[in-house]
Amino acid sequence: MRNYKHLNLLLAAFLLVVFSSPALAQTEKKITGTITKQSGEALSNVSVTIKGTSHGAMSDSKGEFSMTVPENATLVISYVGYKTKEVSAKDQTSFNIILEEEQNELSQVVVIGYGTVKKSDLTGSVSSVKEQDLKVVPVTSFDQALQGRAAGVQVTTLSGKPGAETSIRIRGTTSINAGNEPLYVIDGMLVSSDAGDMSTGVTLGPRISALAAINPSDIESIEILKDASATAIYGSRGANGVVIITTKRGKPGTGTVTFDSYYAMQDVAHKVEVLNAAEFADFVNDAKLNANRTPIYVNPKNLGEGTDWQDELFRKAPMANFQVSFSGADDKTKYNISGGYFDQDGIIINSNFKRYSFRANLDREVNKRLTVGNSITYARITSSGVLTNAGTIVPGVVTGALLFNPVLPVYDSTVKGGYTFENDRGTILGNPIADAKEYNSYTTSSRILGNIYARYKITKDLELKTSFGIDGFAQKENSFGPNFLKRTQASQGEAAIGTVQGLTWLNENTLTYNKSWNDKHSINAVAGFTLQQFNNESLFAYSFDFPDGRTGWHDISAGLQPQESVNGESAWSLVSYLGRVNYTLSDKYLFTLTGRADGSSKFGEGQKYGFFPSGAFAWRVSKEKFMDNVSSISDLKLRVSYGIIGNQAIPPYQSLALVGPYGQGVFNSSAGYEVYTGLEPLSYVNPNLKWESTKQFDVGFDFGMLKQRITITADYYYKLTYDLLLSTPIPTTTGFQTTVLNVGNISNHGFDLDIHSVNTTGKLKW
């Protein structure tokens, strides 16, 4: 009886499962479809998933997709910048899906320091640049793409060479001797843009931007943190603003292969109007006559146009980019792997920039609590070209082309080297074409950026994340100028070789707490501890007087006047404790409190630590009841913030007593004459050297109307930098002329205004 009873129970349980769970017996079918915009244009890389799962597919370049789904499945179609759409697959196998552009940006997620937040919940001043904005104009590096993309952000190219450094100022200049460049955070790795970290001492070679190693095609979004509330979480690194770069990661769906390329031509947009040969000769003759002297040129009209030095220097230059990427995801793993090649000739003759890049982003869900992943970027860069601006005491080739006498020819076979040697009127300078063609400068650079992370969900609301990242680089600069150039007249030919390599490592550990209750209160809190260290070393060798320049820098020993080699090493470290609390009340009142304590090895004993707090409040007026009937206003938020942020961007060892070799002495001893090298102090000891700090006040508003078709963001800011890290004259009785002291203040204030509009969304778009 007992056995039959058990058998009956098993049979009843089996029948209950079968009849109460029809999904288990549900059949599958194959479906196909096409996804387009409202204009009819196909959309590629659109994610099509089965609701409630991560199974899905991606549309191809024609907007088409195919997949196998359960009979009663619901499809979820999502794409960045478009409204997510759900479609039932119950009664059909073929679909024509039209996605509507997302005009309401308030629900978009914005990356901030050590977390994310909805755009509607921002209390600080943050500007966003999305992937589509980066594709508008072909650029060498992403910092160039920021030009004109965000209010309060000024981007200036320091040289005309491809891949050259850029200077970025967020809300103006805050320091004199300390750095003014923003902090860059690339997939969680803090990256220095300080050219001094990569300097070899070579003054005639091209400088490669540290940011040129990042392929713009790999970037998903860029966030620019501008006020103290947004940047204080980075403490001493946030005084000049923060630029957060997020690269592309895998998305749910079947694996996709994407190939992107473009080819472009570059040309000088506008040449400077200068005199031709006949006009210049007339001008010189008139000047001589006015000075009661004999005219130089007999018949200026016969000289005609002469030499257009700008035409000789500039050229139409091609630019090409090729990239292939592989991306996808399954239930547990997301991946995005890409490789790229970029080649750009400069509009100045004999200049070029090449980049080979590779990136791999992987995320793996080990179990329901633990997720691990990594981001790795490697780039190999080569660059060539002589200085294009007055980076040294010798004018650059562009200046030379504007000032050189148009009567003179480019080439002169009677002169050594075959070029006209120098200008014979006005400023005495060398032939810019000879400099551009014959002064060879070549730079190679390798850079690897990477980090690994582990994220563990302790409870539903509490999460621990730890990461370890590196930023390693190695750069070599070679330059050679033959002895027949005006630029090398004093040295009779010169060659230089410089190498530098460095490594930054960063360990970050954060606890994040998220909790909402009663549909009224919401809190997000972050606490963390970080360690960072930087080390580099450099070597520079050069020689003068090359009677035969055929071997160039390849045989620096061929120089008859070898100079003393120079090498150097430097290191600094930083330890930090950070915390931030975001509290939201009734989705209308937003509060943010942030604090970070940084300890830097660059400052004196007892002065190494600095504390940088900030606070912010925002009021979403549009959520108040009295705004319910104002349908034309879709968003109105008032913001105010105040905080203190620091700056430590000075070379290390400024507070210490440094010594170096000084002269030699000969001493007579029982062993005979012996030569000793003496030592001398190199720097003034300043144990009180401390942080440079900036107080910043910001008040602004975010305004949107007509369902966010028109949005306006406006801010007024005031910044006061005090305890400036300034190279200051001191009494010569100390044995030194200057030293770095905390002296003086700088104030900086202004307005940011950003207006964005979506004017049409039909077949005609503006």
Side-chain angles (χ1 to χ4, degrees):
M1 291 292 293
R2 183 175 300 173
N3 291 336
Y4 284 111
K5 183 178 181 181
H6 288 168
L7 182 61
N8 290 335
L9 289 173
L10 289 173
L11 180 61
F14 173 77
L15 294 175
L16 179 64
V17 170
V18 170
F19 288 105
S20 64
S21 304
L24 296 176
Q26 185 170 292
T27 60
E28 292 187 337
K29 62 181 179 181
K30 184 175 181 179
I31 63 171
T32 60
T34 302
I35 303 174
T36 62
K37 304 178 183 179
Q38 291 175 313
S39 62
E41 182 181 352
L43 282 172
S44 60
N45 295 322
V46 179
S47 173
V48 183
T49 59
I50 301 171
K51 188 174 183 179
T53 74
S54 60
H55 297 292
M58 300 283 280
S59 61
D60 59 20
S61 59
K62 298 180 180 179
E64 298 175 351
F65 70 93
S66 63
M67 57 190 295
T68 301
V69 302
E71 185 69 32
N72 298 322
T74 298
L75 306 180
V76 179
I77 300 93
S78 59
Y79 189 63
V80 176
Y82 291 80
K83 293 181 179 179
T84 300
K85 192 170 187 176
E86 294 188 5
V87 177
S88 174
K90 182 177 181 180
D91 299 320
Q92 55 181 325
T93 59
S94 180
F95 300 85
N96 289 313
I97 300 169
I98 300 174
L99 291 186
E100 182 182 351
E101 286 190 87
E102 178 66 78
Q103 305 302 333
N104 189 354
E105 299 179 350
L106 297 177
S107 60
Q108 291 184 4
V109 174
V110 176
V111 180
I112 58 175
Y114 303 97
T116 59
V117 66
K118 286 195 303 182
K119 193 171 184 179
S120 60
D121 293 340
L122 278 173
T123 58
S125 180
V126 179
S127 294
S128 297
V129 180
K130 299 302 181 184
E131 176 189 3
Q132 53 267 32
D133 297 322
L134 298 174
K135 292 182 176 180
V136 174
V137 179
V139 291
T140 306
S141 58
F142 73 86
D143 45 337
Q144 297 172 0
L146 294 180
Q147 290 179 320
R149 300 289 171 197
V153 180
Q154 182 182 14
V155 182
T156 305
T157 302
L158 300 181
S159 169
K161 294 185 300 296
E165 297 173 58
T166 57
S167 171
I168 296 182
R169 296 290 181 268
I170 297 177
R171 292 184 167 179
T173 297
T174 59
S175 184
I176 296 177
N177 292 144
N180 282 289
E181 296 296 316
L183 170 69
Y184 295 89
V185 183
I186 302 174
D187 287 333
M189 182 63 197
L190 277 60
V191 178
S192 171
S193 63
D194 184 3
D197 288 347
M198 298 186 68
S199 176
T200 65
V202 181
T203 57
L204 296 177
R207 286 281 186 257
I208 295 177
S209 167
L211 305 177
I214 308 301
N215 188 344
S217 300
D218 287 334
I219 296 175
E220 182 82 35
S221 66
I222 298 175
E223 266 72 43
I224 302 168
L225 314 185
K226 297 187 285 188
D227 71 338
S229 171
T231 63
I233 193 70
Y234 291 104
S236 66
R237 314 296 298 276
N240 303 310
V242 180
V243 179
I244 300 180
I245 297 99
T246 304
T247 60
K248 299 174 183 176
R249 309 194 79 85
K251 298 177 181 178
T254 57
T256 61
V257 180
T258 305
F259 177 75
D260 293 318
S261 69
Y262 64 77
Y263 183 85
M265 291 297 295
Q266 309 158 91
D267 201 356
V268 177
H270 176 71
K271 292 197 309 179
V272 177
E273 293 289 338
V274 294
L275 302 177
N276 62 27
E279 293 167 339
F280 182 78
D282 272 334
F283 176 79
V284 172
N285 283 349
D286 287 344
K288 293 295 182 182
L289 289 172
N290 290 336
N292 294 320
R293 296 181 180 180
T294 304
I296 301 295
Y297 300 101
V298 177
N299 194 343
K301 291 184 179 180
N302 290 340
L303 297 175
E305 294 292 325
T307 303
D308 188 326
W309 291 93
Q310 293 180 79
D311 279 349
E312 296 290 339
L313 182 66
F314 298 129
R315 63 179 176 179
K316 289 186 177 180
M319 176 196 299
N321 182 69
F322 306 92
Q323 172 152 321
V324 61
S325 61
F326 309 87
S327 65
D330 57 24
D331 290 341
K332 300 290 185 180
T333 305
K334 298 178 182 179
Y335 65 91
N336 195 307
I337 302 171
S338 69
Y341 170 70
F342 179 83
D343 187 1
Q344 179 184 14
D345 285 339
I347 59 173
I348 293 176
I349 56 177
N350 202 30
S351 62
N352 176 263
F353 175 90
K354 286 186 176 69
R355 177 180 58 226
Y356 306 84
S357 62
F358 169 80
R359 181 181 53 83
N361 290 346
L362 302 174
D363 302 280
R364 172 70 178 180
E365 183 181 314
V366 179
N367 54 48
K368 292 183 178 181
R369 289 181 178 269
L370 179 63
T371 301
V372 298
N374 74 270
S375 300
I376 296 177
T377 297
Y378 174 79
R380 173 75 172 178
I381 293 173
T382 63
S383 177
S384 61
V386 74
L387 285 177
T388 58
N389 63 343
T392 65
I393 59 174
V394 181
V397 293
V398 175
T399 301
L402 296 175
L403 299 179
F404 219 85
N405 186 352
V407 176
L408 298 177
V410 175
Y411 303 99
D412 184 351
S413 59
T414 65
V415 177
K416 183 180 179 181
Y419 293 90
T420 296
F421 183 68
E422 65 182 358
N423 195 20
D424 66 346
R425 295 286 178 270
T427 304
I428 302 301
L429 44 80
N431 187 327
I433 309 305
D435 283 348
K437 287 186 174 182
E438 303 297 337
Y439 200 109
N440 294 315
S441 296
Y442 187 75
T443 304
T444 59
S445 176
S446 296
R447 195 171 192 118
I448 183 168
L449 281 169
N451 68 58
I452 57 174
Y453 75 87
R455 190 167 57 237
Y456 185 76
K457 214 166 185 60
I458 301 173
T459 66
K460 178 183 176 182
D461 306 314
L462 185 63
E463 181 178 273
L464 170 66
K465 181 180 179 181
T466 183
S467 66
F468 184 85
I470 61 168
D471 173 15
F473 64 85
Q475 182 165 306
K476 182 180 179 183
E477 302 177 8
N478 301 328
S479 65
F480 178 76
N483 58 14
F484 54 79
L485 299 177
K486 177 69 175 179
R487 183 184 291 264
T488 60
Q489 186 177 25
S491 64
Q492 288 301 298
E494 57 194 37
I497 297 176
T499 62
V500 62
Q501 58 185 18
L503 177 68
T504 302
W505 63 261
L506 173 68
N507 171 239
E508 296 188 319
N509 308 276
T510 57
L511 274 172
T512 303
Y513 179 76
N514 273 299
K515 180 71 175 179
S516 299
W517 64 96
N518 296 336
D519 293 327
K520 187 175 183 180
H521 305 280
S522 176
I523 189 169
N524 172 274
V526 176
F529 169 71
T530 77
L531 292 167
Q532 185 172 8
Q533 188 174 76
F534 169 79
N535 296 274
N536 85 332
E537 58 182 59
S538 60
L539 176 63
F540 176 41
Y542 61 110
S543 185
F544 297 151
D545 195 356
F546 284 81
D548 187 341
R550 285 177 292 182
T551 58
W553 65 68
H554 301 288
D555 184 10
I556 199 170
S557 64
L560 301 182
Q561 298 183 42
Q563 307 298 304
E564 291 186 0
S565 300
V566 179
N567 75 305
E569 298 181 17
S570 66
W572 54 261
S573 57
L574 195 72
V575 59
S576 306
Y577 305 87
L578 60 95
R580 181 183 61 218
V581 176
N582 289 324
Y583 172 67
T584 302
L585 175 62
S586 302
D587 201 26
K588 292 184 291 187
Y589 311 108
L590 314 171
F591 303 85
T592 300
L593 291 175
T594 306
R596 177 163 175 149
D598 283 326
S600 174
S601 63
K602 294 183 178 181
F603 300 112
E605 289 295 331
Q607 306 290 344
K608 295 187 181 298
Y609 278 88
F611 179 66
F612 308 102
S614 77
F617 170 72
W619 176 27
R620 296 194 67 192
V621 182
S622 54
K623 286 290 185 177
E624 297 289 356
K625 288 186 177 181
F626 60 78
M627 295 291 292
D628 288 346
N629 296 324
V630 188
S631 58
S632 59
I633 297 178
S634 50
D635 180 44
L636 177 58
K637 180 171 63 178
L638 307 180
R639 297 178 281 103
V640 62
S641 68
Y642 178 80
I644 302 174
I645 39 185
N647 194 345
Q648 59 135 17
I650 57 172
Y653 319 126
Q654 298 295 303
S655 66
L656 304 178
L658 304 180
V659 295
Y662 178 75
Q664 292 180 331
V666 179
F667 295 88
N668 188 7
S669 66
S670 58
Y673 291 100
E674 296 185 32
V675 179
Y676 292 88
T677 300
L679 294 175
E680 67 168 342
L682 299 178
S683 62
Y684 180 77
V685 181
N686 181 11
N688 296 317
L689 191 67
K690 61 182 180 180
W691 295 89
E692 176 180 289
S693 301
T694 300
K695 298 177 181 178
Q696 184 171 176
F697 170 77
D698 184 283
V699 60
F701 68 86
D702 301 318
F703 175 76
M705 60 185 301
L706 303 177
K707 297 182 179 179
Q708 296 299 102
R709 282 182 174 269
I710 299 175
T711 60
I712 300 174
T713 298
D715 287 87
Y716 169 78
Y717 63 88
Y718 177 81
K719 297 196 291 184
L720 175 65
T721 303
Y722 59 97
D723 291 335
L724 284 172
L725 292 166
L726 187 66
S727 180
T728 309
I730 58 177
T732 55
T733 52
T734 62
F736 303 94
Q737 294 183 336
T738 62
T739 190
V740 177
L741 300 175
N742 294 103
V743 177
N745 302 327
I746 289 180
S747 64
N748 190 353
H749 59 92
F751 294 90
D752 289 350
L753 177 63
D754 185 289
I755 302 175
H756 177 264
S757 64
V758 180
N759 300 315
T760 62
T761 55
K763 292 184 177 181
L764 175 64
K765 292 189 176 182
W766 175 23

